Amino acid sequence: MSGRFVRSSKYRHVFGRPTKKEQCYDNIRISKNAWDTNLVKANPHYISVTWEASGGGSFAVIPINEKGRLPDQLPLFRGHTAVVLDIDWNPFNDSLIASGSDDGKAFIWKVPEGFTLRTEGEEPADVAPVAKLVGHSRKVGHVLFNPAAENILATSSGDYTVKIWDVESGAPRLTLKHTDIVQSLSWSANGSLLVTTSRDKKLRIWDVRQEKAAHVVPGHTGAKNSRVTWMGEHDRIATTGFSRMSDRQLGLWDIRDPKEPMGGFEMLDSISGVCMPFWDDSTQCLYLAGKGDGNIRYFEYAQDKFEFLSEYKSADPQRGVAFLPKRGINTHENEVMRAFKTVNDSYIEPISFIVPRRAEVFQDDIYPPVAGSKPAMSSREWFDGKEGLPAKIDLGSIYAGEEPTEIPAEYQSASKVPASPRQRSPVKQETESAKEAPKPSPSFRGPPPSMKEQTSSIANLASKFADKDEAGSDDGDEDTSSFEEVSKPVDRSERNASKTEDKSEGAVLLKGLGASFVPLAPATPVPAPAAPPSQSTSAQPKPTTSPSAAPASSSSASANPPIQSYLQEIKSLLEKQNLTMSAQSDKITQLSAEVDTLKTTLGSQPSGNSRGQVETEKDERIRMLERELEKLRA
């Protein structure tokens, strides 16, 4: 185990826990359409799934608490004249859902109050749409609500366009034109940007309200579908796709320079199913669920790369997967994520991802604030150009059974790592540098530095001090003002007290060294930096009419805290140098004594072959010690 390093992470031991068949959602007829979507979507109250039905398209809505075997006859959401291809829940209203169909229309539905599947002896009544969005000329393959603005919906179609709808008015307001069928789309956290992948193997990042593509770059080169997800509040996106050799790949992109993925594409495996990415912004984890296999990998995003955590493995393959919003998870069981996977197109199995801990209290370190259910702006404000993040909620209030406590949208999770250092404004930098005072040098730890290092460090410090004084004098010549700032003169008693204190500190230091302290010979003096002359030169004020200006300015220069701190640094370095040189002189004395001893021993050895061998070894040892002595003396 020596040499191995394990990265620290709160989510390193997260594991996936399957659910017993009795607690799954059984007796479901999932659509067998070949269109590439997730088939199932979930929110804290309902699960929706595209339904295999004749005579038009439909989908089913299942209350999340009604588990087990479902009735044979269910109330379906009917209205489309062709198969339903995609569905999506409104993030700010858990009873509103949008659907896209092969008939070229997108519908908005509302779940009735008190909706249930278990009706006693009554014929289940189907649900009709509350709004119809008509504008595409071909099938609507994807529908996706804006995560920050209310009632803003994006739909992609086989007519190579993505339309942005105002659901309240029922009209398309913006159109994003592509050159091929869109395979996947995802909004940024503030709802102002949209990223899409299409069949032409291009990755596009859209400034939606300008109806222009800010970037169009090559994506995955494989012939199969690729997926994309925006990584929450980061300016990063993650894509999954295939290489030319049909290997599944994972890519991380910087939206400011997306010419190629950061660090290249990472190969996952050679399975043929499409990989569905899901991003959790609170834990900074990415979940990858493959179609046709039963595994779900999860990675943690740190330092601009994905760190593999673990993998949930199952023998039951999945065609569709949905992840529950974080405000619906079970915090009492330390659940950080919950997935719903379709199994054999006949039932839906929940999978809980849990952090194993024994504590029975709320674990606030693994539950940072998450997105709430209140939008940051209305649809009208969004079309007018407003940007913002929706308010977050504290999961601790939900753990305690209280109303969710809102947290300002500007909150940044402690687990987040900034993707790249952003350049600060020069005005702010100058203000901060003016406020920062020079800090004293840290205490010395480790082996003592060599003489060359000590001499160079003192020379650098002296030159730095001289440059600072010259710059200060230049600034003093340039900054002329009609008002002269005269500092308060330093009291003589305070000055004498400080001198006495310095002397007492030196005496204590020498006393603590004791007999081990050997003073240096006068032949090797240490040159002191020319600090006092430059100080007096830089502190000399301009001649003015006031006779007391010169002594006042000199006293202010003597009380200047930065200069005193530099002098204190030089003083401490000189003391350390004296200690180092005394230690080296002791070492020289010790080595000289050892050389003399070896020479004496060499002269008293017996004759013969053994003596010649010993002489050779002793000679080598003497030469080595003499070389070491020469180095130390140099």
Side-chain angles (χ1 to χ4, degrees), residues 567-628:
L567 292 175
Q568 189 66 26
E569 288 183 17
I570 294 174
K571 181 179 177 181
S572 61
L573 284 175
L574 288 172
E575 292 175 353
K576 293 173 186 175
Q577 184 184 12
N578 291 336
L579 293 176
T580 305
M581 294 179 67
S582 64
Q584 290 177 349
S585 64
D586 292 342
K587 183 68 175 178
I588 289 173
T589 305
Q590 180 184 355
L591 292 175
S592 301
E594 187 176 351
V595 169
D596 296 338
T597 304
L598 289 173
K599 288 182 178 179
T600 305
T601 307
L602 184 61
S604 61
Q605 289 292 331
S607 59
N609 294 332
S610 60
R611 180 179 178 182
Q613 228 173 2
V614 172
E615 285 181 357
T616 304
E617 294 177 357
K618 298 287 186 179
D619 289 340
E620 291 179 357
R621 176 62 178 165
I622 290 171
R623 282 196 294 271
M624 182 179 67
L625 290 173
E626 287 177 346
R627 284 197 298 270
E628 190 172 352

Side-chain angles (χ1 to χ4, degrees), residues 366-421:
I366 61 173
Y367 291 118
V370 299
S373 57
K374 290 186 179 180
M377 68 204 84
S378 64
S379 58
R380 182 175 180 179
E381 292 173 334
W382 185 84
F383 282 110
D384 289 341
K386 183 179 178 180
E387 293 184 5
L389 295 172
K392 298 184 178 181
I393 59 174
D394 183 13
L395 291 178
S397 58
I398 299 178
Y399 179 90
E402 304 170 354
E403 288 295 324
T405 303
E406 289 191 3
I407 295 176
E410 291 78 14
Y411 174 86
Q412 292 291 336
S413 172
S415 62
K416 288 187 179 180
V417 178
S420 63

Side-chain angles (χ1 to χ4, degrees), residues 433-504:
S433 62
K435 289 182 179 179
E436 290 180 357
K439 299 179 180 179
S441 60
S443 59
F444 183 76
R445 297 177 185 272
S450 63
M451 288 291 298
K452 187 180 292 184
E453 293 174 348
Q454 288 281 5
T455 307
S456 62
S457 63
I458 293 177
N460 293 335
L461 188 59
S463 61
K464 175 183 175 183
F465 178 68
D467 294 342
K468 189 174 184 67
D469 286 342
E470 291 173 6
S473 62
D474 295 341
D475 295 339
D477 295 336
E478 292 176 1
D479 296 334
T480 58
S481 173
S482 58
F483 297 96
E484 182 178 6
E485 182 180 357
V486 180
S487 61
K488 182 179 178 181
V490 180
D491 192 4
R492 290 186 177 180
S493 59
E494 296 179 359
R495 191 180 304 174
N496 295 334
S498 62
K499 289 183 179 179
T500 306
E501 186 177 356
D502 292 341
K503 291 181 179 178
S504 62

